[in-house]
Amino acid sequence: MTDDVAAVTPDEGPASAGPSRVHVPIHLRWGDLDALGHVNNTSMLKLLEEARLRAFWFSDGEGEPLPTAVFDMDVLDSGGDRATLIARQEIEYLRPVPYSQRPLDVRMWIGAMGGSSADICFEVYSPVGDAEPTLYARATAVVVLVDTASGRPIRWSETERSAWAPYVGAPIEYRRRPGRS
């Protein structure tokens, strides 16, 4: 796998029970680090966003699109008739992410598929090729498809559902602190 090409592979790693994963290599920037020398929690949201965009949007003409790519630029352009919105995000940090010049391996799948929403699940691993892959964080982003004119949710198309079907599996089960539901 090259740094600029995402791969689609069958189950791997600790969360191997479930769907195929979309692997998206994401490079860190020096500015992603905080004073403690690891990736800042707010930077993690940006890294997950970048992985999500690479997995679900058609490329800009460079390389082959992933089988999960269902959106073209009209979803991103202000003149488009539909848009995706983030309704909720949750991140569980398991270990600090150190800086590396090699890209992180962000593994993604769909944890739940509703009429107009989808739970996008992420696992952020150390770079591909490490002797022992390290799971740094797990996250979920609830994405809602909306009509830009009305702002109301609209249903995913059959094309979108078909493209994502091989990647639908169990959602992430987060650890809970004692006394919390």
Side-chain angles (χ1 to χ4, degrees):
M1 173 163 79
T2 62
D3 289 355
D4 59 347
V5 177
V8 179
T9 62
D11 307 338
E12 292 183 20
S16 61
S20 294
R21 306 288 197 259
V22 177
H23 291 243
V24 182
I26 298 295
H27 281 279
L28 295 174
R29 298 165 305 207
W30 186 252
D32 292 330
L33 303 181
D34 61 18
L36 298 175
H38 60 265
V39 172
N40 183 278
N41 64 312
T42 59
S43 293
M44 182 61 74
L45 291 168
K46 293 176 186 176
L47 298 171
L48 297 174
E49 175 184 51
E50 183 67 27
R52 191 174 59 249
L53 290 173
R54 289 185 189 185
F56 297 119
W57 274 260
F58 288 110
S59 69
D60 55 6
E62 299 289 321
E64 285 291 312
L66 291 170
T68 53
V70 294
F71 300 123
D72 51 27
M73 293 308 288
D74 73 333
V75 175
L76 299 176
D77 294 338
S78 60
D81 58 354
R82 46 189 211 144
T84 57
L85 300 177
I86 301 298
R88 181 176 189 272
Q89 293 186 98
E90 182 172 359
I91 301 174
E92 182 175 60
Y93 299 95
L94 304 170
R95 298 186 67 155
V97 181
Y99 181 75
S100 174
Q101 291 184 353
R102 296 181 304 136
L104 295 172
D105 178 23
V106 180
R107 302 175 188 183
M108 300 171 55
W109 70 98
I110 309 292
M113 190 82 195
S116 62
S117 67
D119 292 6
I120 311 300
C121 297
F122 305 84
E123 291 177 324
V124 180
Y125 279 89
S126 56
V128 171
D130 280 6
E132 282 290 319
T134 301
L135 177 58
Y136 294 122
R138 301 181 306 171
T140 304
V142 178
V143 178
V144 179
L145 186 65
V146 298
D147 177 279
T148 55
S150 68
R152 303 208 34 101
I154 55 177
R155 296 189 66 77
W156 300 112
S157 72
E158 284 308 312
T159 301
E160 292 155 351
R161 289 178 182 282
S162 294
W164 296 345
Y167 309 97
V168 175
I172 293 173
E173 292 188 28
Y174 293 97
R175 295 182 298 187
R176 303 287 181 203
R177 292 179 279 176
R180 297 260 174 129
S181 56

